Amino acid sequence: MKRRDFLAGAAGAFALPGAALAQVDPLDPLVWVVTNGAPVRKGRVTLVLPQLADNGNSVPIRITVDSPMTAADHVKSIHLFAEKNHLPRILEVQLGSYNGKAMVSSRVRVATSQQLTAVAVLSDGSLWSAAADIEVVTSECGL
């Protein structure tokens, strides 16, 4: 597929209402390190975080991926991005079939109100994502 054809198709997808929010752009420099331009599909990933945070220093998050976690079908890694943070790649977790469950709970820093995006890389090479918005009342991230 030629780059021009790909970009034309991508532009058409974004013309639909809500389509821009439903897709992770694999060409986005933030996620390029993970995707290498491969398509990212929405689904299989659940990102849970509060809609409102009093303090951006310590925001609880939970990311789960629907996977049987067998040797043939498992989650290899989970990545979390916060575009407006000084360092937007805020979490990277390596997993394998030995984990038994594809779930990560942690606390992260969020600089300001924004959308957080989680991308999961599966053993078959597929990429799945989820996004959630958060409103930060007070930012203590140093930005």
Side-chain angles (χ1 to χ4, degrees), residues 50 53 55-60 107-110:
N55 185 341
N57 274 339
S58 183
V59 177
R107 291 185 176 271
V108 296
R109 277 189 161 182
V110 181

Side-chain angles (χ1 to χ4, degrees), residues 14-31:
F14 289 118
L16 300 172
L21 296 177
Q23 299 291 328
V24 173
D25 181 7
L27 301 178
D28 183 339
L30 293 177
V31 297

Side-chain angles (χ1 to χ4, degrees), residues 8-9 65 70 87 100-101 121 126 132 137:
V65 183
T70 63
L87 298 171
K101 199 174 208 183
V121 180
S126 64
V137 179

Side-chain angles (χ1 to χ4, degrees), residues 14-69:
F14 289 118
L16 300 172
L21 296 177
Q23 299 291 328
V24 173
D25 181 7
L27 301 178
D28 183 339
L30 293 177
V31 297
W32 175 262
V33 175
V34 176
T35 67
N36 288 324
V40 180
R41 293 180 270 183
K42 185 177 180 187
R44 293 187 72 171
V45 178
T46 304
L47 175 58
V48 178
L49 56 107
Q51 290 181 336
L52 180 67
D54 291 334
N55 185 341
N57 274 339
S58 183
V59 177
I61 58 115
R62 185 176 69 235
I63 305 168
T64 56
V65 183
D66 182 24
S67 172
M69 296 303 282

